[in-house]
């Protein structure tokens, strides 16, 4: 009788051990939503997929293109996606306008330490500095991050009233070149290259980056759903570690990483997207602020100021609480976050 009990116990233990082994070998699926199309900066996420870094960390990550930060935040909030990439201002706005929402996405890593938003104009317009925008006609899609944050830029630089014209994203740069508007807002690494594609020479474009004119807003962050954070915090931590490993390679050799973007969208212009990625690295990823604060991190005082500015500029239903939108608890070690190339 004792022998039979022993054998039964051994069998149960063997089955349990096998089940644990199978569970350990299983990967966690993560659906990831980009903020925009498969362009140069998407290499930051496609590199660790292609190199198997996510897989080695026990994750099965699928990366999908997007159509704006607001959409990325909404899709993570709805549970359609587990994680995403979005402008921090859009995350703040969602929190403040949906205080009762059950699944408000949380920022878990800073990627664009400075907002890529800028005002761009052609030199022939006579616009050379922020004050010159007073009385001018500006154009941008209504959901454009630069347009939404323009009141902050306007206040910081004492700019008088401006008039806005809305359009679909593909028409923004075309309307500037045609003279339908005097200036546009947009991400520098997107609109500047789009202007060149429409016949404008880089030397003829005036770029007024928000970050250079008193607006220290943070830019894009990696976001995660509270559901994922609660149910599988290890997966969030594993994702960020694998991402950092891939990001370090992308920043060290941007040209080589564009092949992974090309693999996802065969019609991309490789030289153009290589330039776009390098421009993003130089202006918002490996910026002086990023080197001072450290990749992936934020400074509490700067985050609080941004929360206050977004609350005012976006006229949110409630005030943004910076502690609700940012959770640094899953960041990799300092050694892993040492990804920025030396200047």
């Amino acid at each position: 009788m004792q022998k039979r009990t022993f054998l039964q116990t051994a069998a149960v233990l063997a089955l349990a051990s096998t089940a644990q082994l199978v569970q350990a070998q299983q990967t966690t699926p993560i659906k990831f939503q980009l903020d925009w199309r498969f362009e140069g900066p998407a290499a930051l996420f496609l590199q660790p997929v292609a190199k198997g870094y996510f897989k080695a960390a026990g994750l099965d990550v699928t990366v999908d293109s997007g159509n704006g930060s607001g959409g990325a935040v909404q899709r993570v909030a709805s549970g359609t996606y587990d994680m995403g990439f979005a402008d921090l201002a859009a995350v703040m706005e969602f929190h403040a306008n949906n205080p009762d929402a059950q699944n408000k996405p949380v920022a878990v890593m800073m990627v664009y330490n400075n907002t890529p938003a800028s005002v761009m104009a052609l030199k022939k317009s006579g616009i050379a500095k922020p004050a010159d925008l007073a009385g001018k006609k500006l154009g941008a899609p209504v959901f454009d991050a630069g347009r939404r944050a323009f009141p902050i830029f306007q206040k910081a630089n004492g700019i008088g009233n401006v008039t806005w014209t809305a359009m679909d994203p593909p028409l923004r740069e075309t309307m500037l070149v045609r003279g339908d508007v005097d200036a546009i807002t947009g991400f520098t690494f997107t609109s500047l290259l789009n202007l060149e594609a429409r016949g404008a020479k880089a030397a003829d474009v005036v770029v007024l980056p928000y970050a250079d004119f008193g607006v220290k807003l943070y830019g894009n962050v990696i976001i995660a759903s509270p559901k994922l954070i609660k149910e599988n915090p290890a997966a969030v931590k594993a994702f960020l570690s694998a991402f950092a490993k891939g990001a370090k390679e992308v920043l060290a050799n941007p040209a080589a990483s564009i092949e992974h973007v090309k693999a996802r969208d065969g019609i991309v212009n490789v030289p153009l997207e290589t330039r776009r990625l390098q421009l993003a690295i130089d202006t918002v990823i490996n910026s002086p602020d990023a080197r001072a604060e450290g990749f992936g991190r934020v400074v509490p005082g700067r985050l609080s100021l941004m929360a206050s500015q977004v609350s005012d500029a976006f006229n949110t239903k409630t005030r943004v609480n910076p502690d609700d939108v940012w959770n640094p608890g899953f960041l990799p070690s300092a050694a892993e976050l040492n990804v920025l190339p030396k200047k």
Side-chain angles (χ1 to χ4, degrees):
M1 190 69 174
Q2 287 181 333
K3 184 176 181 181
R4 182 183 300 174
T5 303
F6 173 78
L7 290 174
Q8 288 174 335
T9 302
V12 169
L13 289 173
L15 284 170
S17 178
T18 302
Q20 289 173 344
L21 182 62
V22 170
Q23 188 175 18
Q25 291 173 338
Q26 287 178 341
T27 55
T28 300
I30 299 287
K31 290 191 66 180
F32 189 89
Q33 173 70 72
L34 288 175
D35 64 325
W36 201 237
R37 297 185 288 263
F38 288 119
E39 295 182 340
L44 291 165
F45 299 96
L46 298 177
Q47 175 97 358
V49 172
K51 289 298 189 76
Y53 299 151
F54 287 133
K55 188 175 182 180
L59 307 175
D60 178 17
V61 177
T62 55
V63 178
D64 291 337
S65 61
N67 59 357
S69 287
V73 174
Q74 290 279 359
R75 290 181 190 119
V76 174
S78 71
T80 308
Y81 285 82
D82 306 293
M83 300 181 73
F85 191 49
D87 183 59
L88 182 57
V91 181
M92 288 181 168
E93 182 184 25
F94 184 87
H95 272 253
N97 282 343
N98 301 276
D100 298 324
Q102 296 299 306
N103 198 44
K104 295 190 283 288
V106 178
V108 291
M109 178 183 273
M110 181 58 60
V111 181
Y112 293 171
N113 188 281
N114 298 97
T115 175
S118 66
V119 175
M120 282 155 278
L122 299 179
K123 285 183 178 177
K124 64 183 181 182
S125 68
I127 296 170
K129 57 187 182 299
D132 297 332
L133 295 168
K136 300 294 187 182
K137 184 188 291 185
L138 272 65
V142 292
F143 58 81
D144 174 68
R147 177 171 176 172
R148 301 298 308 283
F150 184 79
I152 304 172
F153 181 79
Q154 190 172 20
K155 182 178 180 181
N157 294 281
I159 301 168
N161 292 333
V162 302
T163 303
W164 283 97
T165 296
M167 74 284 288
D168 290 333
L171 293 175
R172 170 175 27 200
E173 293 80 17
T174 299
M175 290 183 70
L176 180 62
V177 171
R178 281 196 321 221
D180 297 331
V181 294
D182 300 307
I184 58 174
T185 58
F187 280 9
T188 308
F189 54 73
T190 297
S191 289
L192 182 58
L193 298 187
N194 288 348
L195 284 168
E196 288 186 36
R198 286 155 180 77
K201 294 180 180 177
D204 295 332
V205 180
V206 177
V207 181
L208 306 174
Y210 283 19
D212 291 352
F213 290 92
V215 180
K216 291 295 186 180
L217 298 178
Y218 285 112
N220 281 37
V221 291
I222 294 176
I223 58 177
S225 73
K227 184 175 185 292
L228 179 65
I229 288 173
K230 181 180 179 181
E231 295 179 0
N232 199 342
V236 179
K237 193 169 182 64
F239 182 99
L240 297 184
S241 292
F243 168 79
K245 184 176 181 179
K248 185 170 187 174
E249 295 177 352
V250 172
L251 300 183
N253 192 351
S257 66
I258 293 297
E259 67 180 86
H260 306 308
V261 182
K262 179 78 171 176
R264 288 301 305 266
D265 185 349
I267 65 170
V268 302
N269 181 321
V270 170
L272 180 70
E273 296 312 325
T274 302
R275 285 185 60 206
R276 194 187 310 278
L277 175 57
Q278 188 63 62
L279 192 56
I281 292 170
D282 294 340
T283 57
V284 300
I285 300 175
N286 193 24
S287 66
D289 287 327
R291 293 193 296 277
E293 296 180 10
F295 180 80
R297 305 182 184 92
V298 305
V299 170
R302 185 177 162 196
L303 182 69
S304 296
L305 175 60
M306 179 176 174
S308 178
Q309 290 175 321
V310 167
S311 299
D312 293 337
F314 290 33
N315 193 26
T316 54
K317 290 179 181 177
T318 62
R319 303 294 292 179
V320 177
N321 182 346
D323 294 331
D324 289 343
V325 300
W326 171 252
N327 184 344
F330 304 97
L331 287 174
S333 66
E336 291 176 281
L337 287 174
N338 184 23
V339 305
L340 299 178
K342 299 292 185 287
K343 278 282 184 176

